[in-house]
Amino acid sequence: MSERQITVPPVLENILLEYTINVLVENPEDIISHAADYFTRLRDNRDQENPPGMVGEKTDISNILGSRASRRQSVVGERYDPEQDDDEEEIEKFPKSDEERKRIKERTKDIFLFKVLDEEDINEIIEAMMPREVETGQVIIRQGDDGDFFYVVDKGTFEACVKDGKGEERIVKIYDNSGSFGELALLHNQPRAATVTATTKGLLWAVSRKTFNRLVVKRAFEKRQKYMALLEKVPELQPLTEFEKMQVCDALSPVFLKKGNILFEEGDEGDGMYFVEEGKISIIQKSSKNKSEQEVAQLGPGEYFGEMALVKNQPRAGTAKAVVDTKLAFLEVKAFERLLGPCIDIMKARMEKYKRA
């Protein structure tokens, strides 16, 4: 076995990439059940496109989607590969007032899809959003159609309905002046899974497929690659498997500090741990004798901190301050407990070294 070379098939890499992005979007509570449902649907779609006796034959997509598929066959079935995307074409921007930018930021702050983006990325995608005013009763997307746009709700209410095999419709979600829809068809290059209709007048912000891929999918992929390289520098995390490290990567979110900014103070509740990506962090503690402050450590790229409060379930033992402009990757406490179990003992041993120091 030691002499045997193992090659990961490209199709496996693509499947895992798509599933990871799906998890980023849907943020399921039960990852195992979600995975089972996801891959069952994937298999069923494959079997539907290639019935027994037709394996290896390319099925005409219009046979599956009906006449609507003939509108844009060039889109359906295309696979977006972020590694192969070297398009340097400038992304079109649409004028907005400061009030509109502020409102869009407010509308998107809780969209999990956007939480993988840096502040600069979010501002860039906001500039690329185009306004779309809608009237009561207007159909925004229709079940079975190709996916051309991702939508963020600014104003108005919308209903998402799904038609079953018997032709009966049921409401699966209501958007009331918030939320987003349309991303799954873009991520999976599949037909729309539901029909969304405006139940009042409203305003949507639309992001095209091309912009969505370049500013969301590609950035999510790059983020994972970047964080994987970061985690490889942390010796205490090496007991994790590659898949476990990938899960940690997808749970990390960016934090930026200006020189002199305080991240947390001694005595604060521990809400997560941090990895230093760029810059430098100073850890400061108060003396128990005269209450004076002293620096006990400086941490640079590849180092981490904040785990002690989580492992020991105690308040922060020191104050963390940026020595220079610094970029961090944050792992919140629930993800820490769920993903870093195999590393807890190693981290505890590291804490003993702190005490001796």
Side-chain angles (χ1 to χ4, degrees):
M1 287 292 292
S2 61
E3 297 178 358
R4 184 182 169 190
Q5 251 189 338
I6 299 176
T7 302
V8 178
V11 66
L12 176 59
E13 293 182 344
N14 291 336
I15 289 172
L16 291 178
L17 170 63
E18 290 184 37
Y19 178 65
T20 300
I21 295 174
N22 181 268
V23 172
L24 285 172
V25 173
E26 298 187 7
N27 193 24
E29 291 185 3
D30 185 346
I31 191 75
I32 301 300
S33 297
H34 178 269
D37 292 342
Y38 175 88
F39 287 106
T40 297
R41 290 197 304 269
L42 196 65
R43 182 195 61 194
D44 292 343
N45 288 339
R46 181 205 62 189
D47 291 344
Q48 183 181 2
E49 294 181 21
N50 294 289
M54 295 183 63
V55 176
E57 295 184 31
K58 186 175 181 180
T59 305
D60 185 351
I61 196 74
S62 62
N63 292 336
I64 301 170
L65 303 182
S67 59
R68 290 196 188 98
S70 61
R71 293 187 301 112
R72 295 191 64 225
Q73 288 189 30
S74 60
V75 171
V76 176
E78 287 180 0
R79 288 293 175 186
Y80 175 72
D81 184 350
E83 285 190 294
Q84 300 300 320
D85 184 355
D86 55 1
D87 190 353
E88 298 297 329
E89 181 183 346
E90 187 173 347
I91 292 173
E92 186 176 5
K93 298 179 180 179
F94 297 85
K96 297 174 183 68
S97 66
D98 290 341
E99 175 59 30
E100 286 175 326
R101 291 186 186 93
K102 182 178 178 181
R103 207 165 61 235
I104 295 171
K105 236 173 203 181
E106 180 65 25
R107 295 288 186 270
T108 57
K109 69 178 183 179
D110 294 325
I111 298 177
F112 189 79
L113 183 66
F114 280 62
K115 291 183 179 180
V116 306
L117 301 177
D118 296 344
E119 185 75 14
E120 186 178 340
D121 296 334
I122 292 175
N123 291 335
E124 192 173 359
I125 196 169
I126 286 175
E127 292 303 318
M129 290 181 177
M130 62 185 80
R132 181 176 176 184
E133 294 184 355
V134 297
E135 299 294 327
T136 303
Q138 185 173 342
V139 175
I140 313 304
I141 62 175
R142 193 180 302 276
Q143 185 175 348
D145 278 359
D146 303 341
D148 294 341
F149 290 93
F150 163 68
Y151 297 96
V152 174
V153 179
D154 189 333
K155 300 175 184 176
T157 57
F158 302 81
E159 284 183 352
C161 297
V162 172
K163 185 180 292 186
D164 62 23
K166 298 179 182 178
E168 297 178 357
E169 283 193 343
R170 59 186 176 90
I171 299 173
V172 294
K173 190 173 180 64
I174 295 177
Y175 302 90
D176 186 4
N177 294 287
S178 64
S180 62
F181 56 87
E183 72 278 7
L184 293 182
L186 272 60
L187 283 171
H188 301 300
N189 298 294
Q190 293 181 352
R192 298 292 194 187
T195 296
V196 176
T197 306
T199 54
T200 66
K201 285 188 175 182
L203 174 64
L204 297 169
W205 295 100
V207 181
S208 70
R209 169 190 287 269
K210 183 175 182 179
T211 300
F212 179 86
N213 281 337
R214 288 179 60 189
L215 294 185
V216 180
V217 179
K218 186 177 181 180
R219 300 291 166 84
F221 175 82
E222 290 173 343
K223 167 183 174 274
R224 189 212 293 173
Q225 298 295 95
K226 177 181 64 178
Y227 284 159
M228 278 293 282
L230 178 65
L231 297 186
E232 291 296 340
K233 298 177 182 178
V234 181
E236 290 82 2
L237 298 187
Q238 298 321 302
L240 297 177
T241 65
E242 288 299 303
F243 181 71
E244 288 169 336
K245 288 177 186 175
M246 186 176 69
Q247 288 183 302
V248 174
C249 289
D250 293 338
L252 292 172
S253 56
V255 175
F256 300 92
L257 298 175
K258 290 290 187 181
K259 178 182 178 180
N261 283 1
I262 292 177
L263 180 64
F264 56 74
E265 295 188 345
E266 188 172 345
D268 286 351
E269 182 180 353
D271 58 347
M273 69 177 293
Y274 298 84
F275 298 87
V276 182
E277 188 178 344
E278 298 175 9
K280 191 173 290 185
I281 289 288
S282 173
I283 304 298
I284 302 166
Q285 286 185 331
K286 292 178 182 177
S287 169
S288 58
K289 294 181 180 180
N290 54 22
K291 301 299 181 182
S292 63
E293 293 184 340
Q294 61 177 357
E295 183 180 72
V296 295
Q298 277 201 11
L299 305 171
E303 297 184 280
Y304 65 91
F305 61 98
E307 82 288 356
M308 292 177 64
L310 309 183
V311 173
K312 299 175 69 174
N313 195 25
Q314 293 179 354
R316 297 293 190 189
T319 296
K321 182 178 180 180
V323 178
V324 296
D325 290 354
T326 300
K327 183 186 292 187
L328 305 171
F330 174 65
L331 185 68
E332 59 96 19
V333 61
K334 290 183 179 178
F336 174 87
E337 294 169 348
R338 187 177 75 249
L339 300 174
L340 296 189
C343 305
I344 297 298
D345 288 341
I346 297 175
M347 290 181 174
K348 286 180 178 178
R350 184 177 187 247
M351 287 162 53
E352 292 302 317
K353 291 182 181 178
Y354 283 159
K355 291 179 182 178
R356 289 195 296 271

